Structure formats: structure tokens, C-alpha cells
Amino acid sequence: MVKVLVGMSGGVDSSVTVHLLMQQGFEVEGLSFILWEARNRSGPGACCSLEAKNSASQTAEKLGVSHTALDVRGEFIEKVIEPFAEAYTKGMTPNPCILCNRFVKFPFLLREAEKRGAEYIATGHYAKVVPSSEPGFRNSEFLGSSPGSRHSSLFKGVDPKKDQSYVLYLLGQDTLNRLVLPLGDYRKEDIRTIARSLNLAAADRPESQEICFIEDKSYFRFIEKLSPFAGEPGPILDTKGKVLGTHKGIYCYTIGQRKGLGIASLEPHYVIKIDTRKNAIYVGSKEEAKSRRVFVEDVHWILPPRERVIRATVKVRSMMEARTASVELHDEGVLVLFDEPQWAPAPGQSAVFYHEDRVLGGGIIVEGL
């Protein structure tokens, strides 16, 4: 029997993932991660809470699979928490889920799979991995790969409201070739229905919509506690350089932000630029917060393009619909030229490139132009 190691958060998605893999004939073992001060946290909304870990253990016991927890708080602090806080102090808006997937969850799943003799790893993400050996596999015309090489492709999940391919674009072939994502062909309501039929405690557990390690939904208070000298107040300027107000520290703001600016005006203002050298926030109209061109660095391709310019659809935030654009490859990064201006691309977020439902790759936004 082929063994698979499942990352279990205690939520309904990873719980049903265990059941589906058992139905497919896998030998399943569950693994939860202690990410961030789990012993001092409670409530079902955080994937790293103590309650979540207990829920995962109870689910594993009910389904008849072994389950253990692994303390990775040191790595999580170093690879996710500290870069998260540092990015905000530099006027960027990082995505901690992408950092965690890249540096913590999947590397440790693979490492533990090796130790436990598991051929595959699995998670409850709504996306699909398709190996090149699968019947009907179709490679995109503009993608290059070595003849005869083993490779897998990442696709969107069928549920557009839950698709999580955006946060998985950084996975390499070493991970994709061993990754199983059973939920990619399901919709969220179907997963809850399955969980209820199994009488799983997580069946109606609310989903976490916030950053898992921030309890009061206030990231800037979290950063202040972590870095008391995170930043100093400075000017809020319009596009002509007129001072409209004073900001509390650039880490409190992100591109596209409207609320909390403290500016009295008949017209709404949005953050359109954060200048760390001048310690200044620039605001403008809604149209001025849009960008048609976005420059991207730290680019990762699941399979490299053959051409220097390709047509693709691109997301600059996880919950938006992918929009059509030209993607130009340069030595120092990638320039995305959208067909239509897009709302507030924020430095630090990821731009992810798609061909139809297939993830081509992505990178970190440096600036919108």
C-alpha cells in the first residue's frame, strides 16, 4: 500500500482530505505543525491554535489514522514572522501564506515524508496537480521542458471561490511530483457535506479569513509589539506634493488603502505610493491607484517559457479574477503589461501567471507603473 503524509490543520478541508485518500486506497498518516505560540491560543479561527491541533488529532483518531504534531515555531518565526514584519516596515505588503508554504509547510512535509517512508505528501488546498504521465496531459505550446523529463503541472481548483493555486505557485518539481491535492475537483459545499456525513467535528468549523498568527486582526499592532521601533510618523502628500495629513508609520499602510488615513476631504483618497526614503505616504484618486504595468522579481517558473514575451492571465492578489496581459521576460525580472489597468498592485504581493487554468509561475511585485 502506498503511503501518503497529510498536513492536517484541524479544519474541514484537511480532515476530508484524509478521508478521500483513504477511499483511494492510500495508507494515510497525519501531521500537524505547531507554528506560532499554539499553547497560548484558543478558538477555531486560527490554523495554528491549540484547538486546531486538538481537532486534527480527534479527526485522525475518528478516521483511524496515526497523527503527530511537529514544533516548527523557530523556523516559522525566522522564515515567516520576521520577513513579514520587515516587509511592512519597508512599505511592502507580504503574503505570509506564500512564505509559509515555500519555507515551512512543504519543506517539512517532504522531510517528514522521507523519515516516515511516505512516497507522497498531501494537503487540503483547492488546486490540482497533474503529472505529465497522466493520460490526456497537454503541455502548453509556449512552455519548454527537457524531453522525457518527469514533471507535473499545477492547475486551478474547480471551485473559483476557493481556488488556492495562487499561494502554491512557488512549489518546485521536487514537491509537485510528490504532491496529491484531492480537493481540486470538489467545491467547498461538497467537502462540508462529506464531513457531515462522517460526523466530523470540523464539518461546520468557521474558516480563518485572517492571517493565522494575528489574533486581533490588527497587523500593525502585531508589528509594533514585535518591533517597537518599526517606524516614525511622516507626511501624507497628494500627487502635487501638498501635505494633507500625518501618517502613523509606513508599516500601517498598503497600496490601495482608503480607511484610516485621517484626511478630511470631499473626495475619497487612496494610498498610491509609499516612499520609504522620505518616510512619506502619497494618496490619490481611485483611478490613480490603478496600474497597467507591474514589474516582478524573484520569479519562479513551474515550466520555463520558450519565448521572451507570452500572453497570459495574471493575478496580483489571491482573490481577484485573473486578467489578460502580456508577460515580458527580462534579465532582472518580468514586466506585466495588462490589457486594462488593475486595482492597486502592492509591492510585496505576488503576481501569478496562468494559461487558462494552468499555473505558469509567478514572482514578487516590486512596483506598479
Side-chain angles (χ1 to χ4, degrees), residues 92-93 95 98-99 102 169-170 294-300 334 346-351 362-367:
M92 303 175 75
T93 307
N95 189 313
I98 291 176
L99 290 174
R102 182 182 188 180
Y169 80 90
L170 273 164
V294 175
F295 195 75
V296 179
E297 293 182 349
D298 191 18
V299 178
H300 168 78
V334 163
Q349 287 284 298
S350 291
I364 305 299
I365 296 171
V366 178
E367 61 179 331

Side-chain angles (χ1 to χ4, degrees), residues 95 97-99 101-103 106 125 127 152-155 164-173 175-176 179 181 296-303 315-316 318 348-354 358-365:
N95 189 313
C97 291
I98 291 176
L99 290 174
N101 286 336
R102 182 182 188 180
F103 295 114
F106 285 96
H125 287 96
S152 298
S153 287
L154 178 67
F155 289 81
Q164 293 171 298
S165 59
Y166 176 90
V167 298
L168 301 177
Y169 80 90
L170 273 164
L171 299 183
Q173 289 298 319
T175 302
L176 291 174
L179 178 60
L181 299 176
V296 179
E297 293 182 349
D298 191 18
V299 178
H300 168 78
W301 295 101
I302 292 179
L303 289 174
K315 285 187 178 188
V316 292
S318 62
Q349 287 284 298
S350 291
V352 179
F353 321 132
Y354 294 83
R358 182 182 185 177
V359 181
L360 306 180
I364 305 299
I365 296 171

Side-chain angles (χ1 to χ4, degrees), residues 305-310 327-335:
R306 290 195 184 114
E307 307 296 333
R308 301 292 292 181
V309 179
I310 61 173
V327 177
E328 301 178 0
L329 280 67
H330 298 267
D331 292 340
E332 63 275 20
V334 163
L335 178 65

Side-chain angles (χ1 to χ4, degrees), residues 50-359:
L50 180 59
E51 184 175 333
K53 296 297 173 289
N54 290 338
S55 176
S57 180
Q58 292 166 7
T59 295
E61 183 177 1
K62 185 175 182 63
L63 295 175
V65 301
S66 61
H67 172 267
T68 54
L70 185 66
D71 190 335
V72 295
R73 282 177 291 181
E75 290 79 4
F76 190 72
I77 290 169
E78 179 185 354
K79 300 295 187 181
V80 180
I81 299 288
E82 291 176 350
F84 171 86
E86 183 181 3
Y88 267 107
T89 64
K90 293 180 178 179
M92 303 175 75
T93 307
N95 189 313
C97 291
I98 291 176
L99 290 174
C100 186
N101 286 336
R102 182 182 188 180
F103 295 114
V104 181
K105 286 186 178 179
F106 285 96
F108 273 97
L109 272 174
L110 284 175
R111 190 178 308 175
E112 291 300 310
E114 290 292 334
K115 291 181 181 179
R116 300 160 193 246
E119 185 174 346
Y120 293 101
I121 60 172
T123 65
H125 287 96
Y126 287 81
K128 294 189 285 187
V129 175
V130 181
S132 57
S133 58
E134 185 166 308
F137 180 89
R138 181 172 59 85
N139 201 13
S140 300
E141 293 179 0
F142 51 78
L143 294 175
S145 59
S146 301
S149 63
R150 182 188 178 195
H151 60 266
S152 298
S153 287
L154 178 67
F155 289 81
K156 294 179 182 179
V158 299
D159 187 341
K161 294 181 181 179
K162 287 298 300 177
D163 168 53
Q164 293 171 298
S165 59
Y166 176 90
V167 298
L168 301 177
Y169 80 90
L170 273 164
L171 299 183
Q173 289 298 319
D174 58 336
T175 302
L176 291 174
N177 285 331
R178 298 182 64 183
L179 178 60
V180 183
L181 299 176
L183 303 194
D185 288 316
Y186 289 86
R187 294 182 178 274
K188 182 70 177 194
E189 55 266 31
D190 300 327
I191 297 304
R192 289 204 183 275
T193 298
I194 293 171
R196 294 186 190 108
S197 72
L198 297 170
N199 294 317
L200 297 182
D204 295 301
R205 179 183 167 193
E207 293 187 74
S208 174
Q209 299 296 331
E210 304 296 332
I211 298 172
C212 70
F213 51 84
I214 296 180
E215 297 180 67
D216 62 0
K217 301 182 181 181
S218 176
Y219 68 87
F220 57 87
R221 279 198 289 269
F222 175 85
I223 294 171
E224 287 170 353
K225 291 178 182 177
L226 196 67
S227 306
F229 306 104
E232 298 292 334
I236 299 177
L237 310 169
D238 65 14
T239 53
K240 296 180 180 179
K242 179 182 177 181
V243 177
L244 303 180
T246 301
H247 68 72
K248 297 174 286 187
I250 59 174
Y251 64 94
C252 298
Y253 304 85
T254 186
I255 301 298
Q257 180 176 332
R258 176 184 176 185
K259 295 181 180 180
L261 300 181
I263 299 173
S265 174
L266 296 176
E267 300 294 329
H269 288 85
Y270 301 85
V271 176
I272 61 172
K273 182 181 178 181
I274 299 175
D275 190 328
T276 57
R277 289 179 297 177
K278 296 181 179 179
N279 192 33
I281 301 290
Y282 289 84
V283 296
S285 66
K286 190 172 186 178
E287 286 302 310
E288 289 173 314
K290 295 179 180 179
S291 296
R292 190 178 177 196
R293 301 199 308 161
V294 175
F295 195 75
V296 179
E297 293 182 349
D298 191 18
V299 178
H300 168 78
W301 295 101
I302 292 179
L303 289 174
R306 290 195 184 114
E307 307 296 333
R308 301 292 292 181
V309 179
I310 61 173
R311 290 289 293 173
T313 57
V314 182
K315 285 187 178 188
V316 292
R317 59 179 55 82
S318 62
M319 299 308 295
M320 73 174 283
E321 183 179 342
R323 301 297 186 182
T324 54
S326 293
V327 177
E328 301 178 0
L329 280 67
H330 298 267
D331 292 340
E332 63 275 20
V334 163
L335 178 65
V336 179
L337 179 61
F338 285 101
D339 293 353
E340 300 290 340
Q342 299 301 307
W343 172 251
Q349 287 284 298
S350 291
V352 179
F353 321 132
Y354 294 83
H355 173 64
E356 298 175 347
D357 289 340
R358 182 182 185 177
V359 181

